């Protein structure tokens, strides 16, 4: 009885303390919010919301590493308009609500000038209305779903991205497959994932338009370990290739199980394949397969090679596409901020929308009217458990 | 005496409404958001407590009912968009949509509860777990419901005042239920189902009714959540969400309304204050859960309520309702 009372009192006290703490903080931001939000005079704070933990943790960590690298470089060059840049990263555990809370916290508590993130479209969709409502520009490095920068039929004024969108990536692979004289394709998609479903839909549309045939359509769910039933069904239809637009974890297992079943056709996929983990798990089972991506580390251009060298020196590994796009997102942001008249949200957004021929690591970036980046995609082939450049497909 | 009783049932609602209306203007956006999430978690925890705590059944599919309510409300508001002007009309549609969400969630609760609650034991846990997954898979495969991306572009209609009042209603429903004949029957079922049945309690009927009430309230919470996030996605209603709610009520004490209320509020706010620790946040959270479960296996409050701990005069006054 005594203990329970003590615990109850302690809990209450904590709740009261939490409440009073809120009250104390309340007047400050309210007072500051009335005039135009004035960031700290000597530094610029940039926020990043990423999945630092959870199932897609490598995505968040890669992006964050690259952003840190970009900021360190920019600060060495003297920052922007004489101000140093500071990064604040918050974890969202891969959940949409958490991403929304984190974005709100960065924007209203930390008074960030610009928001970077999220990698996944479902989380970016939860953050976009918040960025818009608070007039803080947001750049998503890799959210490829078309709806991220859209609010119904209108373009969200403060939301941008530095990657191509799903329709383009789906058509890239369809074009490439047609060039490779592949006629019959089976599709194996992750139904629980908007990215995978979107890519599969756009691939199918373009591929059929180009004269190809979809012979089978199978699906799996995130977290599945056994794909043999679907693969056996696909094998019966004798396709020339299988389109698997999923994330690396499932794809590696699918590759291995296809090999075990004696299914010797190439697999094709999208940028969700791009992770060192893919090769670690696949152990050569994916040789002969292709996937579309944002960049290749074999690109001889100095921008790319310089970035790879810097990233390797800092983190000891070759950067994946997420790192590249995180780096590009940060640099596009810096470019726009130095061109903008002042560092208010609308001015930066206007400068971002006017981004033209920006030489980024993942290619030359132009922002179109829908705030999407227009640029070419590369197709990588897998040989001896390594990704090798195969072709470039232009928009 | 009569007007006093009437006042007693409206007073908490009015009080919360006024209090929240006063506070919500001066709150910074971020704490506003945190309080909305806390309020929604309170609704979820207190409603699940009716099934898991009062009745002693084990439901682990609360997020499934949230999803049913949320998608119903979202679909209704989106399909009437353009028909009604913004402002009062929109608010009215929103409230209607929330009510419709509660109804569909209640129907889903009835359909799930009716067959599985006739049985004793762990069947309900298995069925609700399955239901949660089925709902998610249906949404992910249905083009009408927006598949995995869900429904985006919802108007921001949920306010802290709505959430606060919904939480107050939920708490009132739970407390009143507990003190009614119905509640006694539920407690009897929890303590000994065979004995309850021998005493003439229609166990299945009572269990199903408790389950339906909890499902309806979960549907309300779901509707409120998606209209704050402006996004209705199946990723918000996973099995993990259900387990989070179960963790809240187990920690608070199964059967204690105040326990469910306080742990839901405190855990939400605690997780927010820990956000600065990024990767270590979940470690701290889990350690706290383990620590509390070892220290208080029956939960913080056990089956007691906060007013049981008040001075004696208050307890005597309440004795008419709860001995």
């Amino acid at each position: 009885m005594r203990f329970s009372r003590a615990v109850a009192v302690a809990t209450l006290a904590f709740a009261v303390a939490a409440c009073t703490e809120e009250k104390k903080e309340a007047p400050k931001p309210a007072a500051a919010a009335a005039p135009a939000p004035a960031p700290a005079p000597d530094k610029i704070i940039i926020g990043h919301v990423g999945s630092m933990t959870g199932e897609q943790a490598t995505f968040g960590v890669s992006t964050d590493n690259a952003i840190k690298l970009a900021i360190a470089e920019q600060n060495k060059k003297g920052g922007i308009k004489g101000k140093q840049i500071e990064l604040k990263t918050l974890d969202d555990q891969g959940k949409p609500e958490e991403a929304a809370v984190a974005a709100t916290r960065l924007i209203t508590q930390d008074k960030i000038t610009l928001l970077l993130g999220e990698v996944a479209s479902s989380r970016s969709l939860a953050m976009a209305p918040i960025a818009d409502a608070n007039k803080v520009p947001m750049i998503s490095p890799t959210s490829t779903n078309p709806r991220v920068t859209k609010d119904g039929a209108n373009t969200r004024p403060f939301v941008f991205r530095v990657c191509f969108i799903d329709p383009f990536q789906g058509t890239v692979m369809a074009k490439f497959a047609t060039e490779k004289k592949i006629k019959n394709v089976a599709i194996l998609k992750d139904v629980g994932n908007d990215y995978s479903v979107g890519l599969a839909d756009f691939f199918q549309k373009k591929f059929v338009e180009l004269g190809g045939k979809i012979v089978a359509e199978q699906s799996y769910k995130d977290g599945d370990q056994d794909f043999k039933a679907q693969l056996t069904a696909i094998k019966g239809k004798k396709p020339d290739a299988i389109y698997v637009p999923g994330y690396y974890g499932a794809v590696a297992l699918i590759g291995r199980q296809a090999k075990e079943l004696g299914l010797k056709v190439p697999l094709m996929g999208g940028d969700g394949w791009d992770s060192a983990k893919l090769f670690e798990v696949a152990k050569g089972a994916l040789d002969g397969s292709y996937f579309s991506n944002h960049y290749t580390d074999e690109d001889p251009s100095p921008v790319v090679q310089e970035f790879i060298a810097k990233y390797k020196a800092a983190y000891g590994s070759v950067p994946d596409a997420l790192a590249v796009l995180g780096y590009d997102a940060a640099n596009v942001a810096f470019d726009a901020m130095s061109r903008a008249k002042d560092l208010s949200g609308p001015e930066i957004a206007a400068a971002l929308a006017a981004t033209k021929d920006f030489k980024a690591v993942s290619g030359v970036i132009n922002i179109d009217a829908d705030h999407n980046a227009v640029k070419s995609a590369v197709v990588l082939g897998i040989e001896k458990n390594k990704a090798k450049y195969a072709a470039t497909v232009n928009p | 005496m009569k007007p006093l009783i009437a006042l007693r049932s409206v007073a908490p609602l009015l009080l919360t409404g006024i209090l929240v209306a006063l506070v919500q203007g001066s709150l910074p956006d971020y704490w506003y958001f945190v309080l909305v999430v806390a309020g929604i978690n309170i609704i979820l925890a207190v409603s699940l407590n009716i099934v898991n705590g009062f009745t002693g059944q084990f439901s682990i599919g609360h997020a499934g009912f949230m999803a049913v309510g949320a998608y119903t409300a979202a679909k209704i508001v989106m399909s009437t968009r353009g028909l009604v002007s913004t402002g009062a009309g929109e608010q009215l549609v929103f409230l209607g949509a929330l009510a419709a969400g509660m109804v569909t969630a209640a129907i889903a609760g009835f359909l799930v509860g009716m067959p599985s609650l006739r049985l004793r034991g762990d069947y309900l846990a298995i069925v609700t777990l399955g239901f949660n997954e089925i709902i998610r898979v249906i949404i992910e495969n249905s083009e009408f419901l927006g598949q995995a991306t869900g429904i985006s572009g919802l108007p921001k209609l949920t306010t802290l005042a709505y959430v606060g009042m919904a939480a107050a209603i939920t708490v009132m429903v739970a407390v009143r239920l507990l003190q009614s004949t119905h509640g006694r029957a539920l407690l009897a079922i929890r303590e000994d189902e065979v004995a309850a049945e021998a005493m003439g309690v229609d166990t299945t009927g009572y269990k199903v009714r408790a389950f339906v009430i909890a499902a309806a309230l979960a549907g309300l919470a779901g509707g409120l959540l998606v209209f704050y996030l402006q996004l209705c996605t199946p990723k918000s209603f996973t099995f993990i969400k259900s387990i989070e709610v179960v963790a809240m009520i187990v920690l608070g004490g199964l059967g204690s309304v105040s326990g469910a209320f306080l742990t839901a509020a405190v855990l939400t706010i605690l997780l927010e204050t820990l956000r600065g620790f990024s990767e270590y946040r979940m470690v701290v959270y889990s350690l706290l859960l383990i620590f509390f479960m070892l220290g208080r296996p029956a939960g913080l409050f056990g089956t007691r309520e906060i007013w049981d701990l008040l001075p004696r005069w208050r307890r005597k006054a309440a004795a008419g309702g709860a001995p």
Side-chain angles (χ1 to χ4, degrees), chain A residues 44 52 60 94 101 110 119 130 142 156 165 188 208 257 315 355 362:
Chain A
I44 300 168
M52 310 298 287
V101 177
D110 300 317
V119 164
I130 297 164
T142 45
R156 287 193 182 278
I165 53 179
L188 180 56
V208 171
Q257 290 173 17
Y315 302 108
T355 300
S362 63

Side-chain angles (χ1 to χ4, degrees), chain B residues 180-198:
Chain B
S180 68
T181 325
H182 206 119
R184 299 296 159 74
L186 296 182
L187 293 184
I189 292 169
R190 177 182 76 192
E191 296 307 329
D192 192 329
E193 208 168 327
V194 178
E197 203 156 12

Side-chain angles (χ1 to χ4, degrees), chain A residues 1 3-5 7-8 11-12 14-15 18-19 21-23 25-27 29-30 52-53 61 89-98 100-102 104-106 108-109 122-123 125-126 129-130 133-134 145 147 150-152 156 191-194 197 201 219 221-222, chain B residues 23 25-31 33-35 37 81 133 136-137 140-141 146-153 156 225 229-231 233 235-237 240-241 244 262-263 266 269-276 278-279 281-282 292 295-296 300-301 304 306 308-310 315:
Chain A
M1 188 62 202
F3 182 62
S4 72
R5 245 189 234 194
V7 171
T11 322
L12 262 182
F14 179 79
C19 289
E21 199 180 311
E22 282 155 40
K23 273 185 204 127
E25 271 171 84
M52 310 298 287
T53 59
V61 173
T89 304
L90 288 184
D91 174 31
D92 61 27
Q93 301 172 283
K95 296 183 197 162
E97 300 95 61
E98 295 273 329
V101 177
T104 311
R105 171 165 177 158
L106 285 170
T108 61
Q109 296 289 102
S122 56
R123 265 105 69 188
L125 277 168
I130 297 164
N134 291 290
N145 190 296
R147 280 204 266 170
K150 286 277 189 187
D151 179 16
R156 287 193 182 278
V191 276
N193 189 326
D194 42 357
V197 173
D201 287 352
S219 54
K221 270 187 61 194
D222 196 25
Chain B
V23 174
S26 62
L27 272 179
D29 279 4
Y30 168 59
W31 283 109
F33 200 150
V34 173
L35 286 186
V37 175
R81 252 193 135 180
E133 286 300 298
R136 205 162 63 86
V137 171
E140 282 172 356
N141 284 295
Q147 291 179 325
T149 328
I151 305 169
S152 59
K156 196 172 197 164
L225 176 69
L229 278 182
Q230 296 178 260
L231 175 71
T233 141
K235 288 197 180 65
S236 303
F237 310 112
I240 310 278
K241 181 77 197 171
E244 274 172 16
L262 279 177
T263 38
V266 170
I269 293 167
L270 185 74
L271 267 182
E272 274 311 313
T273 42
L274 286 175
R275 197 177 279 281
S278 71
E279 285 92 339
R281 189 160 75 118
M282 290 326 279
F292 274 113
R296 293 262 320 149
L300 287 177
F301 282 82
R304 278 193 215 87
I306 199 145
D308 296 343
L309 309 171
L310 289 175
R315 235 186 293 171

Side-chain angles (χ1 to χ4, degrees), chain A residues 58 248-249 252-253 256 273 275-286 317 382 385-386:
Chain A
T58 70
Y248 58 89
L253 292 175
R256 283 177 63 166
W273 283 30
S275 167
K277 286 251 159 60
L278 179 79
F279 304 112
E280 247 171 60
V281 179
K283 295 204 177 74
L286 283 168
S317 62
I382 301 176
N385 214 21
K386 261 199 176 122

